């Protein structure tokens, strides 16, 4: 591509799109994304999830948001365990950002996939445990991830996705 007549290289083709609405109506999200069939990285806003379920686009929800669910449960060893493990996954994946797409994807398969699969297996195994079932916050944290398990795993097979939406979160913080 060229810019003002000069050849240039686009190092980062990611786009952070901000469009502000004073409400959280689903039709606003549909209006913004209608007709788009690429990749979306976001929080777990239900409008995005419904469009992902309808296969309107490929979706990666933010793992930091999922981790935060466990971090907000005080003095609970199970919550602390999952918070720590998700934090390790997020940290490990963020270390791969400077690699080529091929190397990032290879390292995700070798290093991060086993960690994610272990977390997901433990979430599924422990979901019906009395301790989880009897704690509203803990069961909500489990369900937040398990309900969207296939989407939380998207980044493992697509080097374009980040594991978190921190870049966009920082961009909208001033708003």
């Amino acid at each position: 591509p060229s810019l003002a007549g000069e050849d240039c290289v686009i190092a980062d083709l990611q786009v952070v799109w901000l469009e502000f609405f004073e409400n959280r109506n689903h039709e606003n999200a549909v209006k913004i994304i209608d007709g788009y069939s690429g990749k979306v990285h976001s929080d777990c806003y239900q409008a995005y999830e419904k469009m992902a379920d309808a296969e309107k686009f490929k979706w990666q929800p933010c793992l930091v948001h999922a981790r935060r669910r466990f971090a907000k449960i005080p003095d609970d060893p199970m919550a602390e365990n999952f918070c720590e493990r998700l934090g390790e996954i997020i940290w490990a994946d963020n270390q791969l950002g400077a690699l080529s797409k091929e190397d990032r994807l290879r390292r995700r398969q070798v290093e991060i996939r086993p960690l994610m699969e272990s977390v997901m297996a433990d979430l599924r195994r422990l979901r019906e445990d009395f301790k989880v079932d009897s704690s509203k916050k803990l069961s909500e944290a489990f369900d937040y991830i398990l309900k969207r398990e296939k989407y939380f795993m998207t980044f493992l097979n697509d080097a374009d996705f980040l594991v978190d939406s921190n870049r966009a979160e920082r961009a909208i913080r001033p708003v």
Side-chain angles (χ1 to χ4, degrees), residues 10-167:
I10 299 175
D12 185 353
L13 296 177
Q14 294 184 27
V15 173
V16 176
W17 179 292
L18 302 174
E19 188 162 341
F20 182 76
F21 294 93
E22 292 186 3
N23 61 57
R24 291 186 47 86
N25 294 345
H26 286 218
E27 54 267 12
N28 295 333
V30 172
K31 179 181 157 185
I32 293 169
I33 299 177
D34 191 37
Y36 177 73
S37 61
K39 300 173 183 182
V40 173
H41 197 306
S42 71
D43 59 10
C44 288
Y45 180 45
Q46 193 178 32
Y48 301 137
E49 186 173 2
K50 283 183 177 183
M51 288 185 273
D53 287 343
E55 299 181 359
K56 301 284 186 184
F57 49 71
K58 195 171 179 182
W59 183 45
Q60 172 67 48
C62 177
L63 199 57
V64 169
H65 282 84
R67 179 184 177 274
R68 194 174 298 139
R69 297 284 178 135
F70 291 101
K72 290 183 176 181
I73 304 172
D75 304 319
D76 186 296
M78 189 182 296
E80 289 172 8
N81 174 269
F82 281 108
C83 186
E84 182 178 315
R85 291 168 69 189
L86 291 169
E88 289 171 5
I89 291 166
I90 294 162
W91 183 87
D93 194 70
N94 284 335
Q95 304 311 301
L96 308 178
L99 299 177
S100 69
K101 286 183 180 185
E102 296 79 19
D103 288 341
R104 183 168 46 252
L105 199 53
R106 183 183 53 76
R107 297 265 306 267
R108 280 178 173 171
Q109 294 298 316
V110 171
E111 299 170 20
I112 298 173
R113 178 177 292 283
L115 300 174
M116 279 296 291
E117 288 176 348
S118 175
V119 165
M120 292 301 185
D122 287 346
L123 287 169
R124 286 190 303 273
R125 180 177 56 81
L126 293 169
R127 177 55 187 96
E128 301 306 319
D129 185 275
F130 178 76
K131 181 178 181 355
V132 175
D133 210 34
S134 63
S135 166
K136 182 178 181 196
K137 286 186 177 186
L138 203 53
S139 62
E140 286 175 349
F142 271 64
D143 292 344
Y144 187 86
I145 297 176
L146 289 173
K147 179 182 176 195
R148 303 165 180 94
E149 180 175 354
K150 72 178 182 178
Y151 297 121
F152 277 111
M153 304 293 274
T154 301
F155 79 102
L156 296 170
N157 298 312
D158 190 325
D160 289 333
F161 280 111
L162 302 174
V163 72
D164 62 61
S165 60
N166 286 346
R167 181 187 295 179

